[in-house]
Amino acid sequence: NGDWAFSRERDWGTPLNIWHCGSCDAQNLAERKPLERECVGSVEELKAKPGISGIEGLSDLHRPYIDEVTYDCPQCGAEMRRVPEVIDCWFDSGAMPFAQWHYPFENQALFEERFPADYICEAVDQTRGWFYSLHALSILLKEQPCFSNVICLGHILDATGEKMSKSKGNVVTPEEVLDASGADALRWYLYTSSPPGNVRRFSGELVEEVVRKFLLTLWNTYSFFVTYANIDKFDPRTSVSQEGLPELDRWILSELNQLVDRVTRSLDQYDPTGAGRMIEDFVQDLSNWYVRRSRRRFWKSENDADKQAAYTTLYQCLVTLAKLLAPFTPFIAEELYQNLVRSVDKSAAESVHLTDYPQADLSQVDEELSADTRLAMTVSSLGRSARAKANLKVRQPLAKVLVKVRSKREQAGLNRMASQVLEELNVKRVDVTIGVPATAVTAEGLPPTIEVELDTNIDQKLADEGLARELVHRLQTMRKQAGFDIADYIETYYQGGDSIQRVMREFASYIRQETLSQTLTQGSPPDGAFAKSHTIDGDEVVLAVKRVSG
Ligand SMILES: [Zn+2]
């Protein structure tokens, strides 16, 4: 920057505290001498001037009142008057760290305690504006910067990367976005879409995508928990011993504590984008792996230790997420906290915003378990795409999956995760060998390091099991369509060919358990049953469900 001409010809503003004598000015001009000016440093100094007039009882030091304050010229005794200019308003902005405390006239201790500020946040145009004026005053007065960190934001452009302008008609007003998607969605988009310094594209659709991809995933996970916790009257004060906790719970708690550690470190480094994206990844894993793989633990009827462990673990994840998210999405965080914590514990802090930020318990972090689970996720994802490629329904069990990994460590890790992989891929056996993958079988975005090959032979036993699963799926959909509650018991009726009859007999207990059917009856449905015709693998099937009263 060049010199800062900070006088301005305005009425509004901080009056420039400089007085001059008109008659001395005229003489100095005539003699080609420099003009003389007096800079007055305080009201006290002004009051002590000889022949002072107009200051007594003056409570407002702005124009026009201050312009009436005069005193005697020390050279010639004529009237000293204030110059008419006010100070550039950027000077006031730059004086903020001092002016807010009326320093140095008051609050010296408070000022010293707060100076320099931890951080400041403004957009990039303030580099030559506020950031600069703060810097200038602080260096002049304190010989040091007045802020230790700065988050400097890039400008917001429209969805196509054009600058927003009224004449182009591409301006998105905040109100539209707030009304459509909410303040938390807007905040989350701005935090996570790109690092603070980058310019960012902006539109209502981009913010709505945040709602779909992140907020709804979080909300659905929370809502899943609340639904079942209410059915089972789960009490979060019930303690569960960490020892003997199922692997899936130990895994998500390991991920959770790693997350707390990493988010805290990112925020300490003023990196909200990195922190937000890590939370996003965790919520995906929580929903798509932990909750999906734990669903049956919540669904089953017996209230055993395993179910308690699942509730306690998911509860801990959600409460910790509420606290982690509090600075990012204050409204959703508060909603989660009020319902999960305050509704059961009136002695808890009144608001999530009054609680301490979570602290990581690194003793719960298990790097090996994290790596092994990641491997199981990768294999499952590769296996699912192999299934899709072979056009095999997920519900059709298969005999075997062959996995080629790179090392003994991966082999051991995957064998340890075998039961999860079997369930994920709906296969009976997994064979893990070490070797260099022959072909680059990859799901999108995964490096060609692991090879997954499915045995696609289906014998009658496997086909029957697949049919049983298909029937369960159809019945569960019908339960929903009929408007039954999740916990309602039903009677099931069916009409179909040989394979249907055989499967209904041989897989009776499985089908009954999965669909909460007290009975499976062959024959036409009674009055009041919800009936539907289906075509399964070319066979006509009529299924009917009826709620058991009482
Ligand atoms: Zn004079």
Side-chain angles (χ1 to χ4, degrees), residues 26-88:
Q27 197 178 340
N28 285 333
L29 273 175
E31 294 174 12
R32 297 177 164 261
K33 284 185 185 164
L35 301 181
E36 285 192 36
R37 295 287 184 266
E38 273 198 8
C39 181
V40 184
S42 68
V43 173
E44 290 313 307
E45 201 182 315
L46 195 57
K47 279 181 176 168
K49 292 290 181 190
I52 184 75
S53 148
I55 190 76
E56 216 48 60
L58 191 65
S59 60
D60 188 340
L61 295 176
H62 287 100
R63 297 189 75 183
Y65 319 107
I66 191 70
D67 296 342
E68 300 308 313
V69 176
T70 60
Y71 59 88
D72 297 344
C73 172
Q75 305 297 325
C76 71
E79 191 180 66
M80 294 283 279
R81 297 196 75 90
R82 198 186 71 82
V83 298
E85 287 86 4
V86 297
I87 305 176
D88 175 22

XYZ file of all heavy atoms in Angstrom, residues 26-88:
488
model
N -2.272 32.331 7.034
C -2.178 33.335 5.967
C -0.756 33.896 5.895
O -0.179 34.031 4.811
C -3.189 34.447 6.222
N -0.182 34.183 7.073
C 1.165 34.742 7.095
C 2.189 33.727 6.584
O 3.069 34.058 5.785
C 1.517 35.188 8.515
C 2.712 36.132 8.503
C 3.052 36.622 9.896
O 2.226 36.568 10.807
N 4.278 37.095 10.065
N 2.070 32.464 7.055
C 3.011 31.420 6.630
C 2.929 31.185 5.124
O 3.950 30.996 4.469
C 2.751 30.114 7.370
C 3.250 30.179 8.809
O 4.179 30.932 9.105
N 2.615 29.418 9.692
N 1.710 31.254 4.599
C 1.532 31.061 3.158
C 2.252 32.185 2.396
O 2.960 31.924 1.429
C 0.045 31.064 2.797
C -0.683 29.718 2.897
C -2.183 29.920 2.629
C -0.125 28.715 1.895
N 2.033 33.420 2.891
C 2.649 34.580 2.245
C 4.170 34.452 2.279
O 4.860 34.794 1.315
C 2.195 35.866 2.930
N 4.716 33.952 3.388
C 6.176 33.841 3.522
C 6.684 32.503 3.014
O 7.864 32.176 3.203
C 6.583 34.035 4.998
C 6.295 35.437 5.506
C 6.565 35.585 7.002
O 7.180 34.665 7.585
O 6.143 36.601 7.571
N 5.787 31.724 2.398
C 6.135 30.396 1.868
C 6.752 29.498 2.939
O 7.664 28.726 2.679
C 7.098 30.532 0.669
C 6.457 31.279 -0.473
C 7.412 31.488 -1.630
N 6.672 31.851 -2.836
C 6.350 30.993 -3.798
N 6.689 29.728 -3.725
N 5.659 31.402 -4.842
N 6.221 29.610 4.146
C 6.664 28.726 5.227
C 5.656 27.584 5.395
O 4.502 27.739 5.013
C 6.741 29.512 6.553
C 7.932 30.425 6.666
C 7.924 31.030 8.060
C 9.040 32.064 8.209
N 8.795 32.895 9.398
N 6.113 26.451 5.982
C 5.143 25.356 6.232
C 4.041 25.817 7.184
O 4.301 26.635 8.074
C 5.978 24.241 6.859
C 7.383 24.713 6.920
C 7.453 26.133 6.483
N 2.830 25.279 6.966
C 1.711 25.612 7.856
C 1.902 24.895 9.191
O 2.452 23.803 9.239
C 0.387 25.194 7.218
C 0.088 25.837 5.860
C -1.272 25.350 5.339
C 0.112 27.370 5.962
N 1.408 25.536 10.239
C 1.538 24.900 11.556
C 0.202 24.351 12.012
O -0.827 24.985 11.819
C 2.090 25.913 12.560
C 3.569 26.147 12.331
C 4.207 26.908 13.475
O 3.796 26.666 14.631
O 5.103 27.733 13.185
N 0.265 23.173 12.616
C -0.951 22.492 13.084
C -0.710 21.975 14.496
O 0.410 21.621 14.842
C -1.262 21.265 12.190
C -1.610 21.608 10.738
C -3.003 22.218 10.675
N -3.431 22.489 9.317
C -3.275 23.680 8.719
N -2.658 24.666 9.347
N -3.739 23.881 7.505
N -1.790 21.938 15.301
C -1.670 21.335 16.628
C -2.562 20.108 16.716
O -3.758 20.190 16.416
C -2.068 22.338 17.718
C -0.913 23.201 18.154
C -1.153 23.880 19.504
O -2.175 23.558 20.184
O -0.333 24.696 19.875
N -1.955 18.993 17.107
C -2.732 17.770 17.278
C -3.054 17.608 18.761
O -2.141 17.581 19.584
C -1.922 16.580 16.752
S -2.810 15.037 16.897
N -4.347 17.547 19.085
C -4.764 17.484 20.493
C -5.088 16.033 20.857
O -5.891 15.394 20.189
C -5.992 18.389 20.750
C -6.351 18.403 22.230
C -5.710 19.805 20.255
N -4.448 15.536 21.928
C -4.495 14.104 22.223
C -5.648 13.661 23.096
O -5.926 12.454 23.169
N -6.324 14.588 23.796
C -7.425 14.154 24.661
C -8.287 15.347 25.021
O -7.903 16.501 24.799
C -6.868 13.526 25.950
O -6.234 14.520 26.733
N -9.438 15.083 25.580
C -10.330 16.150 26.037
C -9.630 16.959 27.123
O -9.708 18.199 27.148
C -11.658 15.556 26.568
C -12.515 16.639 27.198
C -12.408 14.875 25.435
N -8.899 16.239 28.013
C -8.177 16.921 29.099
C -7.197 17.947 28.530
O -7.117 19.087 28.997
C -7.409 15.899 29.956
C -8.299 14.999 30.803
C -9.382 15.783 31.548
O -9.034 16.747 32.257
O -10.585 15.434 31.373
N -6.446 17.510 27.493
C -5.451 18.379 26.879
C -6.132 19.608 26.261
O -5.625 20.731 26.365
C -4.705 17.580 25.802
C -3.346 18.146 25.430
C -2.683 17.328 24.317
O -2.702 16.072 24.408
O -2.177 17.939 23.363
N -7.299 19.342 25.655
C -8.046 20.424 25.006
C -8.522 21.458 26.039
O -8.406 22.667 25.851
C -9.233 19.814 24.253
C -9.957 20.679 23.229
C -8.998 21.191 22.153
C -11.097 19.887 22.585
N -9.025 20.927 27.193
C -9.557 21.808 28.247
C -8.478 22.714 28.825
O -8.774 23.796 29.330
C -10.159 20.956 29.376
C -11.578 20.473 29.055
C -12.124 19.669 30.215
C -13.588 19.273 29.948
N -14.034 18.253 30.930
N -7.193 22.238 28.760
C -6.090 22.993 29.369
C -5.559 24.084 28.434
O -4.665 24.843 28.803
C -4.960 22.029 29.745
N -6.109 24.163 27.194
C -5.613 25.159 26.243
C -6.005 26.559 26.695
O -7.103 26.762 27.248
C -6.204 24.892 24.845
C -5.706 23.611 24.183
C -4.250 23.734 23.776
C -3.774 22.441 23.091
N -2.296 22.476 22.905
N -5.121 27.572 26.422
C -5.459 28.956 26.828
C -6.673 29.462 26.041
O -6.777 29.180 24.841
C -4.202 29.747 26.468
C -3.464 28.908 25.455
C -3.797 27.489 25.764
N -7.554 30.131 26.738
C -8.726 30.738 26.092
C -9.695 29.729 25.506
O -10.442 30.032 24.572
N -9.710 28.512 26.068
C -10.596 27.449 25.545
C -12.058 27.879 25.658
O -12.467 28.454 26.662
C -10.336 26.094 26.249
C -11.195 24.971 25.640
C -10.590 26.188 27.753
C -10.706 24.497 24.319
N -12.823 27.550 24.627
C -14.236 27.939 24.637
C -15.064 26.847 23.952
O -14.618 26.244 22.973
C -14.394 29.274 23.906
O -15.644 29.342 23.254
N -16.230 26.556 24.501
C -17.161 25.641 23.854
C -17.036 24.176 24.295
O -17.809 23.331 23.867
N -16.065 23.879 25.151
C -15.864 22.477 25.551
C -16.677 22.138 26.797
O -17.076 20.978 26.990
C -14.355 22.175 25.779
C -14.101 20.664 25.953
C -13.808 22.922 26.999
C -14.155 19.901 24.678
N -16.972 23.130 27.634
C -17.653 22.872 28.909
C -19.034 22.276 28.655
O -19.816 22.819 27.874
C -17.757 24.189 29.712
C -17.608 24.006 31.227
C -16.411 23.140 31.630
O -15.250 23.498 31.307
O -16.642 22.078 32.250
N -19.306 21.161 29.267
C -20.624 20.550 29.134
C -20.864 19.853 27.793
O -21.973 19.402 27.520
N -19.825 19.755 26.967
C -20.002 19.122 25.657
C -19.945 17.599 25.807
O -18.924 17.049 26.193
C -18.896 19.602 24.703
C -19.066 19.261 23.232
C -20.281 19.960 22.639
C -17.813 19.669 22.441
N -21.067 16.930 25.547
C -21.077 15.473 25.752
C -20.860 14.725 24.442
O -20.484 13.569 24.436
C -22.406 15.036 26.372
O -23.455 15.385 25.496
N -21.096 15.387 23.323
C -20.917 14.728 22.026
C -19.780 15.409 21.282
O -19.852 16.590 20.951
C -22.219 14.838 21.223
C -22.164 14.014 19.944
O -21.041 13.681 19.496
O -23.248 13.708 19.400
N -18.719 14.626 21.047
C -17.519 15.196 20.438
C -17.556 15.166 18.908
O -16.565 15.431 18.254
C -16.265 14.464 20.943
C -15.960 14.608 22.436
C -14.768 13.762 22.825
C -15.715 16.075 22.802
N -18.727 14.817 18.344
C -18.816 14.769 16.878
C -19.100 16.145 16.294
O -19.371 17.102 17.025
C -19.915 13.780 16.464
C -19.531 12.347 16.667
N -19.959 11.627 17.749
C -18.736 11.531 15.947
C -19.451 10.407 17.672
N -18.697 10.329 16.590
N -19.051 16.210 14.959
C -19.505 17.416 14.274
C -21.017 17.518 14.434
O -21.669 16.495 14.505
C -19.164 17.333 12.778
C -17.688 17.264 12.500
C -17.428 17.399 11.025
N -17.604 18.809 10.624
C -17.495 19.223 9.355
N -17.249 18.356 8.388
N -17.671 20.504 9.059
N -21.631 18.681 14.470
C -20.976 19.987 14.308
C -20.481 20.576 15.626
O -19.838 21.614 15.625
C -22.108 20.840 13.736
C -23.347 20.264 14.365
C -23.082 18.797 14.511
N -20.811 19.875 16.782
C -20.545 20.479 18.102
C -19.064 20.765 18.301
O -18.667 21.825 18.771
C -21.074 19.582 19.223
C -22.422 19.001 18.868
C -22.574 17.661 18.522
C -23.550 19.839 18.830
C -23.799 17.147 18.154
C -24.791 19.327 18.461
C -24.908 17.974 18.119
O -26.114 17.495 17.747
N -18.197 19.820 17.925
C -16.765 19.957 18.189
C -16.164 21.123 17.391
O -15.167 21.721 17.794
C -16.035 18.617 17.859
C -14.573 18.611 18.363
C -16.070 18.323 16.359
C -14.425 18.563 19.840
N -16.853 21.457 16.267
C -16.323 22.542 15.429
C -16.417 23.904 16.121
O -15.764 24.870 15.716
C -17.082 22.588 14.091
C -16.854 21.316 13.263
O -15.870 20.593 13.549
O -17.673 21.037 12.359
N -17.243 23.976 17.162
C -17.415 25.247 17.897
C -16.360 25.425 18.978
O -16.312 26.452 19.642
C -18.810 25.295 18.549
C -19.966 25.190 17.554
C -19.833 26.214 16.429
O -19.571 27.396 16.708
O -19.965 25.785 15.247
N -15.545 24.369 19.200
C -14.531 24.456 20.265
C -13.302 25.214 19.720
O -12.693 24.785 18.742
C -14.134 23.052 20.774
C -13.020 23.151 21.801
C -15.360 22.351 21.359
N -12.971 26.301 20.348
C -11.830 27.129 19.900
C -10.917 27.453 21.077
O -11.327 27.331 22.231
C -12.311 28.456 19.289
O -13.048 29.172 20.299
C -13.204 28.225 18.067
N -9.693 27.812 20.772
C -8.783 28.335 21.812
C -7.806 29.328 21.195
O -7.846 29.556 19.976
C -8.083 27.202 22.570
C -7.225 26.250 21.737
C -5.878 26.544 21.491
C -7.733 25.055 21.263
C -5.076 25.665 20.781
C -6.939 24.184 20.531
C -5.609 24.483 20.287
O -4.831 23.624 19.585
N -6.944 29.906 22.046
C -6.057 30.978 21.563
C -4.814 30.405 20.903
O -4.205 29.463 21.395
C -5.615 31.871 22.730
C -6.806 32.585 23.370
O -7.890 32.612 22.720
O -6.661 33.049 24.513
N -4.422 31.013 19.793
C -3.217 30.578 19.082
C -1.983 30.878 19.931
O -1.827 32.003 20.417
C -3.132 31.315 17.744
S -1.571 31.043 16.878
N -1.114 29.911 20.148
C 0.070 30.127 20.972
C 1.053 31.121 20.310
O 1.854 31.741 21.001
C 0.702 28.750 21.098
C 0.134 27.930 20.001
C -1.204 28.521 19.672
N 0.965 31.314 18.989
C 1.868 32.227 18.290
C 1.360 33.670 18.331
O 2.076 34.571 18.747
C 2.003 31.807 16.811
C 2.438 30.368 16.576
C 3.827 30.071 17.119
O 4.721 30.952 17.079
N 4.015 28.873 17.652
N 0.071 33.835 17.916
C -0.409 35.220 17.734
C -1.629 35.534 18.589
O -2.093 36.661 18.617
C -0.741 35.470 16.259
S -2.218 34.591 15.719
N -2.167 34.554 19.286
C -3.305 34.802 20.167
C -4.643 34.817 19.439
O -5.686 34.945 20.071
N -4.647 34.669 18.087
C -5.923 34.623 17.347
C -6.616 33.278 17.602
O -6.101 32.424 18.326
C -5.665 34.822 15.852
N -7.783 33.085 16.974
C -8.610 31.904 17.289
C -8.094 30.649 16.567
O -7.914 30.661 15.358
C -10.043 32.180 16.855
C -11.023 31.174 17.354
C -12.434 31.539 16.878
O -12.664 31.482 15.641
O -13.262 31.877 17.718
N -7.882 29.581 17.369
C -7.538 28.264 16.788
C -8.837 27.505 16.549
O -9.662 27.403 17.444
C -6.666 27.434 17.764
C -5.284 27.991 18.035
S -4.131 27.669 16.675
C -3.638 25.995 17.020
N -9.023 26.997 15.324
C -10.233 26.211 15.005
C -9.824 24.837 14.491
O -8.744 24.650 13.936
C -11.059 26.898 13.916
C -11.596 28.252 14.316
C -12.711 28.689 13.349
N -13.949 27.959 13.591
C -14.887 28.396 14.450
N -14.730 29.522 15.095
N -15.983 27.679 14.615
N -10.747 23.915 14.659
C -10.466 22.566 14.174
C -10.496 22.554 12.646
O -11.317 23.253 12.040
C -11.524 21.579 14.709
C -11.117 20.118 14.645
C -12.259 19.207 15.062
N -13.322 19.194 14.055
C -13.299 18.447 12.945
N -12.278 17.647 12.694
N -14.308 18.506 12.079
N -9.636 21.752 11.997
C -9.730 21.581 10.540
C -11.066 20.898 10.251
O -11.564 20.145 11.092
C -8.549 20.743 9.971
C -7.221 21.449 10.214
C -8.543 19.336 10.549
N -11.706 21.108 9.093
C -13.066 20.587 8.903
C -13.147 19.082 8.659
O -14.223 18.499 8.772
C -13.553 21.349 7.669
C -12.319 21.745 6.934
C -11.240 21.956 7.965
N -12.037 18.403 8.345
C -12.105 17.014 7.928
C -12.399 16.049 9.094
O -12.147 16.347 10.239
C -10.792 16.566 7.254
C -10.571 17.122 5.878
C -9.901 18.497 5.910
O -9.553 18.975 7.020
O -9.743 19.099 4.830
N -12.959 14.914 8.698
C -13.086 13.789 9.647
C -12.074 12.720 9.213
O -11.454 12.826 8.163
C -14.507 13.178 9.659
C -15.517 14.200 10.140
C -14.884 12.594 8.315
N -11.940 11.659 10.067
C -10.963 10.596 9.768
C -11.640 9.517 8.936
O -12.811 9.184 9.168
C -10.409 9.995 11.084
C -9.829 11.109 11.960
C -9.368 8.928 10.795
C -9.338 10.625 13.317
N -10.918 8.971 7.974
C -11.397 7.843 7.160
C -11.935 6.751 8.078
O -11.307 6.389 9.071
C -10.211 7.321 6.335
C -10.577 6.079 5.543
O -11.773 5.875 5.287
O -9.652 5.322 5.195
